[in-house]
């Protein structure tokens, strides 16, 4: 596969943008290849500037559950743009989107729209701190909640006692208030609560982790976590930026029948345009300015074009039963892969739920970050280069999910199985 144009453009990009990209994973650094430069995308396919076609399993890291360039969403964006792009004043669309989200997420009694998932989480945490009048937050190792300072934290060497910044530039006094627990391990959370009595404002979690590869919550873990948090006077924040409108129209909380205090959304609710949102219990949300003392604001928040794209996406998903379609496609793909790759059980593990999956280059269960880190990233690297050249666009990292859409066809999936099976046989 020839990617000369991409190669040349990236050289120019590297001179004007750090690493040649506007978000790190796009640089393909962990697979040691030069990145693909995209020209356009439609349905399940994405095309680079050399004219190569790929079946897309990145799907913009989640938003494109309807596939790319859905005609109904294009129309909504076009129609909205004719009326102006941004006003710094309330529009009816925002209220309509709030209602649409509330209908699917009953726990989101009130909502605030922001411009990214990062902003949603950052603001939800400030709100939780303001509401509880406590400072400390518990997060889980391997869960990603955007790049606000207090979330760029990892367990220190004396795990469960100290946490340290996971990025340069994050002050230690900020990271010190974020405690790190182990996914699927309630005891690790219990220890943190008992060592920090009446100090924990909130526990934040991806109810299904999808940013260390896909890691599923074990039976009873989320319910136990909610109860434990409430017993200790903290708030539970579900970061459903990926899972919202994907695991079900009502997200992971709808699928598992759980009720967090605050929910963070993003990705699908903007249909590919920049958006984020956080919402939850009315009494908590009323702590937000201007009704309450917790400050939060945004020049472009509730942008009419983003709101129109999000609303059109959600309505089209309802119309198409897009969640079921994407789930069926994923089931079909996972069954085919498991069938064809039986002999590789001691080398790979496939984690999957709804329309998310990860092929871990590791034997046995993958239930937390420590398991994830045992994956053979060299094998992944070889595998990635192989499938990319056969026409599959998957995230260039072992620690990401594959995202399916309602537009992935049987033909796409059969071709994908063929490419993946061949690559694994050649790689391992
Ligand atoms: C993508 C993501 C975020 C951050 O959203 P951005 O829009 O990239 O800022 C936060 N939480 C989770 C779970 C995500 O997957």
């Amino acid at each position: 596969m020839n990617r000369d144009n991409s190669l040349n453009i990236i050289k120019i990009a590297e001179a004007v943008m750090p690493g040649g990209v506007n978000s790190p994973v796009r640089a393909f650094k962990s697979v040691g290849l030069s990145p693909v430069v995209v020209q356009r995308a439609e349905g399940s396919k994405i095309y680079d500037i050399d004219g190569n076609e790929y079946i897309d399993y990145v799907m913009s890291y989640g938003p494109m559950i309807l596939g790319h360039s859905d005609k109904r969403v294009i129309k909504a964006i076009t129609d909205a743009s004719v009326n102006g792009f941004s006003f710094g004043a309330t529009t009816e669309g925002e209220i309509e989107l709030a209602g649409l989200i509330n209908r699917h997420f009953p726990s989101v009694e009130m909502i605030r729209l922001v411009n990214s998932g990062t902003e949603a989480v950052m603001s939800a945490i400030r709100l939780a701190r303001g509401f509880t009048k406590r400072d400390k937050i518990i997060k889980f190792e391997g869960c990603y909640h955007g790049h606000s300072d207090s979330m760029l934290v990892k367990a220190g060497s004396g795990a469960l006692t100290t946490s340290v910044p996971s990025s340069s530039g994050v002050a230690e006094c900020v990271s010190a208030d974020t405690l790190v627990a182990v996914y699927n391990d309630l005891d690790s959370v219990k220890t943190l609560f008992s060592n920090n009595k009446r100090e924990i404002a909130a526990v934040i979690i991806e109810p299904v982790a999808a940013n260390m590869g896909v890691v599923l919550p074990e039976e009873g873990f989320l319910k136990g976590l909610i109860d434990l948090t409430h017993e200790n006077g903290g708030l539970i924040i579900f970061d459903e930026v990926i899972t919202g409108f994907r695991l079900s129209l009502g997200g992971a909380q709808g699928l598992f029948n759980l009720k967090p205090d605050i929910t963070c959304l993003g990705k699908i609710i903007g249909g590919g345009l920049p958006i984020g949102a956080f919402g939850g219990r009315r009494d908590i949300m009323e702590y937000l300015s201007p009704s309450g003392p917790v400050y939060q604001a945004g020049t472009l928040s509730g942008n009419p074009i983003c709101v129109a794209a999000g609303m059109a996406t959600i309505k089209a998903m309802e119309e198409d039963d897009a969640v079921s379609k994407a789930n069926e496609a994923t089931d079909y793909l996972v069954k085919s892969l498991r069938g064809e790759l039986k002999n590789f059980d001691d080398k790979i593990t496939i984690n999957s739920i709804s329309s998310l999956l990860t092929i871990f280059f590791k034997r046995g269960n993958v239930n937390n970050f420590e398991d994830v880190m045992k994956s053979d990233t060299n094998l992944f690297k070889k595998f990635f280069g192989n499938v990319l050249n056969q026409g599959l666009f998957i995230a260039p990292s072992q620690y990401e999910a594959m995202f399916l859409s309602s537009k992935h066809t049987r033909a796409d999936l059969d071709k994908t199985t063929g490419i993946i099976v061949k690559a694994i046989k050649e790689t391992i």
Side-chain angles (χ1 to χ4, degrees):
M1 192 176 273
N2 182 312
R3 275 192 294 273
D4 287 349
N5 287 335
S6 283
L7 211 65
N8 290 333
I9 291 290
I10 284 297
K11 279 190 196 121
I12 301 168
E14 281 167 353
V16 292
M17 306 190 293
V21 293
N22 281 310
S23 195
V25 72
R26 298 178 195 170
F28 282 38
K29 224 175 143 180
S30 74
V31 290
L33 292 172
S34 184
V36 170
V37 179
V38 174
Q39 186 169 59
R40 66 188 183 89
E42 194 179 337
S44 61
K45 309 293 192 316
I46 196 159
Y47 301 86
D48 68 19
I49 56 171
D50 290 278
N52 299 308
E53 177 184 289
Y54 308 84
I55 305 171
D56 188 9
Y57 291 97
V58 176
M59 286 289 156
S60 187
Y61 292 91
M64 313 315 301
I65 193 167
L66 282 178
H68 293 285
S69 311
D70 185 277
K71 297 277 184 303
R72 293 160 292 186
V73 183
I74 293 176
K75 183 171 184 331
I77 293 171
T78 314
D79 290 353
S81 68
V82 172
N83 291 326
F85 308 155
S86 183
F87 314 116
T90 301
T91 56
E92 285 183 314
E94 293 162 62
I95 300 142
E96 213 185 313
L97 182 59
L100 195 53
I101 291 173
N102 170 260
R103 185 150 58 76
H104 292 296
F105 286 77
S107 77
V108 179
E109 294 169 0
M110 296 183 99
I111 196 165
R112 175 147 297 172
L113 300 180
V114 293
N115 304 294
S116 68
T118 295
E119 238 187 283
V121 168
M122 179 185 76
S123 308
I125 283 172
R126 184 181 308 138
L127 178 62
R129 285 174 164 154
F131 183 79
T132 58
K133 303 187 172 56
R134 297 174 174 188
D135 286 343
K136 291 185 181 169
I137 302 289
I138 296 177
K139 81 175 283 284
F140 291 85
E141 198 174 25
C143 283
Y144 178 68
H145 302 292
H147 64 92
S148 65
D149 283 7
S150 68
M151 291 293 102
L152 292 181
V153 163
K154 60 184 179 188
S157 48
L160 290 183
T161 52
T162 56
S163 30
V164 295
S166 61
S167 161
S168 171
V170 173
E172 272 175 37
C173 61
V174 172
S175 68
D177 276 341
T178 305
L179 313 172
V180 183
V182 178
Y183 203 83
N184 277 323
D185 181 355
L186 266 188
D187 285 339
S188 74
V189 187
K190 275 183 197 149
T191 307
L192 291 175
F193 270 118
S194 62
N195 291 345
N196 299 273
K197 284 208 168 57
R198 284 177 290 281
E199 289 185 284
I200 308 290
V203 176
I204 184 164
I205 188 162
E206 288 181 80
V208 166
N211 283 289
M212 50 173 150
V214 177
V215 174
L216 276 56
E218 284 167 1
E219 186 75 40
F221 171 63
L222 293 172
K223 178 77 176 70
L225 183 67
I226 293 175
D227 293 345
L228 181 62
T229 304
H230 286 160
E231 280 159 25
N232 285 279
L235 301 178
I236 183 93
I237 306 174
F238 272 15
D239 182 349
E240 296 230 39
V241 171
I242 281 182
T243 53
F245 290 95
R246 180 173 286 275
L247 262 56
S248 74
L249 283 170
Q253 55 194 270
L255 188 65
F256 301 139
N257 193 25
L258 296 169
K259 197 164 181 279
D261 300 304
I262 302 176
T263 298
C264 297
L265 294 167
K267 297 190 172 130
I268 288 177
I269 64 160
L273 270 61
I275 205 166
F278 63 105
R281 257 167 52 195
R282 183 173 303 277
D283 60 324
I284 300 173
M285 290 304 288
E286 280 179 342
Y287 254 66
L288 211 55
S289 60
S291 40
V294 176
Y295 191 69
Q296 197 284 328
T299 303
L300 297 175
S301 294
N303 177 273
I305 303 176
C306 301
V307 164
M311 217 141 53
T313 297
I314 296 169
K315 284 183 181 163
M317 287 178 70
E318 294 172 343
E319 199 177 295
D320 292 0
D321 200 3
V323 170
S324 304
K325 283 196 182 130
N327 288 354
E328 281 158 22
T330 311
D331 277 350
Y332 180 80
L333 178 62
V334 169
K335 280 204 185 92
S336 318
L337 289 174
R338 287 201 172 123
E340 300 265 341
L341 293 169
K342 267 198 214 82
N343 295 341
F344 293 87
D345 273 357
D346 58 339
K347 297 272 173 34
I348 61 169
T349 299
I350 302 177
N351 278 5
S352 173
I353 183 169
S354 302
S355 50
L356 297 168
L357 76 126
T358 297
I359 304 168
F360 289 103
F361 285 81
K362 177 197 171 297
R363 71 181 298 173
N365 295 338
V366 181
N367 290 328
N368 59 37
F369 187 65
E370 197 185 327
D371 293 342
V372 166
M373 292 313 282
K374 289 179 186 148
S375 305
D376 187 333
T377 49
N378 273 325
L379 282 185
F380 177 82
K381 216 162 146 171
K382 286 188 211 152
F383 167 78
F384 176 84
N386 189 316
V387 300
L388 183 72
N389 282 331
Q390 309 294 316
L392 294 191
F393 189 54
I394 64 172
S397 160
Q398 169 73 93
Y399 313 119
E400 300 284 354
M402 284 171 72
F403 294 90
L404 276 85
S405 77
S406 57
K407 299 284 167 30
H408 283 82
T409 63
R410 281 289 157 99
D412 291 334
L413 303 168
D414 289 337
K415 188 173 170 195
T416 301
T417 303
I419 291 171
I420 289 179
V421 169
K422 181 167 166 286
I424 286 179
K425 285 181 176 164
E426 286 171 10
T427 313
I428 295 184

